[in-house]
Amino acid sequence: MAAPVIVVVEDENSLRSDMVEYLRNCGFEAMGARTGAELDELLTNRPASVIILDVNLPDEDGFKIAARLRDTHGVGIIMVTARSSSVDRIVGLEIGADAYLIKPVELRELEAQVKSLLRRLSERAAEAPSALAPSSELSGGESNDEGRWTLDSTEWALTSPTGVRIGLTSMEMKLTGLLAGQARKPATRDQISQALYSRRWNPEDRSIDTVVGRLRHKVEASIGTAAPLKSVHGVGYVFSAPIRVLGGQVG
C-alpha cells in the first residue's frame, strides 16, 4: 500500500524542511511548499491526503487556502500558526480545518495529529455514501426511511436517524433547508449565497465556508461520527442522506 501523501505549506525554510524530514522518517510521503501557488502546482500532479498549512504565507492567506482546499480537494487540513488567538482558531475550524496547532510545534504531536486525522478520513470514506450517487442507490428507494434525517422548521432543529437532536441557527436552518430541497443533489455556491444572503457568491467571501464549517462541526460533535454534509469538487455542497422537512418550507 502506498504511503499517504502529506504536504507541508510553510514559508520558513528551516521549519518546513524539519517537518518534511520528520514525516518522511515516520513513513509518510512528505513534500514541502513555500506558498499557496506552489501547493496548487503540487496538487495538480499528485493528490494529497493531508495538508499541513501555515496561516501567514507570502502570497495568500492560509484561511482562504483552507476554504478552497475543503471545497475542491476534500483533503484533511491541519493549520499551523504562531497566532494563539482563540478567534483565529475558531475561524480555522469553522472553515473546515480538522486541527489547529500553535507554533512552536512539537514534531511528535504533529505526527500524532496526522495519524489521527488519517484514521478519521479513512472512517469517513468507509461510512459516507457517494455524494453523486443516484437517490435510489443512496436510500434503497423512496419508501425506505433508513438513514433519514428530520429538519423541523418550527423548532429550528435537525434530528439524526438515531434520534440525536441538534439545535440550529437561522443561517444553519436556511442552509440545511436548501440542501434538503436538493434531494441529495449538490447545491452550488451561488444557490447557497442566494439562500443565505440574497446575493450572488463572491469568491473572496468566506461567509459560506463559515456557515458550512460550523454546521458540519456541530453535527459531527453531536453524533460522534462524520457528518453527511460533503463538498463536491467544482460544484458546492451536498447533504448525502435524505432529509424530511417538518413544519413547512424553510427560508
Side-chain angles (χ1 to χ4, degrees):
M1 181 180 296
V5 176
I6 315 295
V7 180
V8 178
V9 189
E10 168 61 59
D11 62 331
E12 295 182 23
N13 294 333
S14 60
L15 178 56
R16 183 177 66 252
S17 297
D18 288 346
M19 295 170 74
V20 168
E21 181 180 4
Y22 184 87
L23 290 169
R24 285 176 178 171
N25 290 336
C26 293
F28 300 113
E29 182 177 344
M31 300 179 288
R34 193 180 72 87
T35 64
E38 289 183 10
L39 170 64
D40 291 339
E41 185 176 353
L42 282 175
L43 293 179
T44 60
N45 298 314
R46 187 66 187 275
S49 299
V50 173
I51 307 295
I52 299 169
L53 179 63
D54 188 20
V55 171
N56 294 314
L57 295 171
D59 63 339
E60 189 176 2
D61 180 81
F63 291 135
K64 291 183 179 179
I65 296 175
R68 61 181 175 79
L69 283 176
R70 180 62 71 196
D71 288 348
T72 59
H73 291 278
V75 297
I77 300 171
I78 299 175
M79 304 203 74
V80 179
T81 178
R83 300 181 184 181
S84 59
S85 166
S86 61
V87 174
D88 288 326
R89 182 176 183 275
I90 291 169
V91 170
L93 295 175
E94 283 183 341
I95 64 175
D98 297 281
Y100 196 98
L101 298 178
I102 306 299
K103 295 179 181 178
V105 177
E106 168 58 51
L107 293 177
R108 286 176 295 181
E109 180 184 5
L110 178 64
E111 176 191 0
Q113 289 282 4
V114 169
K115 289 180 177 178
S116 175
L117 178 52
L118 287 170
R119 285 194 297 269
R120 297 202 304 272
L121 292 172
S122 178
E123 291 169 0
R124 291 178 193 175
E127 293 171 358
S130 170
L132 297 178
S135 297
S136 59
E137 183 179 327
L138 286 167
S139 65
E142 291 301 320
S143 61
N144 186 355
D145 283 344
E146 183 178 356
R148 186 177 296 276
W149 294 64
T150 301
L151 179 65
D152 191 329
S153 61
T154 60
E155 297 292 332
W156 285 28
L158 179 66
T159 303
S160 75
T162 58
V164 178
R165 186 179 182 278
I166 306 164
L168 303 179
T169 65
S170 174
M171 288 298 180
E172 291 164 355
M173 276 294 302
K174 290 179 181 179
L175 173 61
T176 309
L178 170 65
L179 297 176
Q182 291 289 112
R184 284 164 289 162
K185 295 180 181 178
T188 67
R189 283 181 165 271
D190 271 330
Q191 287 177 306
I192 297 172
S193 186
Q194 289 289 350
L196 268 56
Y197 309 111
S198 300
R199 64 174 185 250
R200 290 184 60 83
W201 174 59
N202 180 347
E204 298 298 318
D205 185 358
R206 294 207 303 263
S207 56
I208 289 177
D209 305 295
T210 299
V211 177
V212 171
R214 183 183 295 118
L215 178 59
R216 178 188 285 122
H217 284 284
K218 180 181 288 188
V219 171
E220 291 182 349
S222 298
I223 66 176
T225 188
L229 176 53
K230 311 297 178 183
S231 61
V232 180
H233 174 59
V235 182
Y237 293 96
V238 67
F239 203 93
S240 57
I243 305 176
R244 176 179 57 176
V245 179
L246 302 178
Q249 185 176 355
V250 179

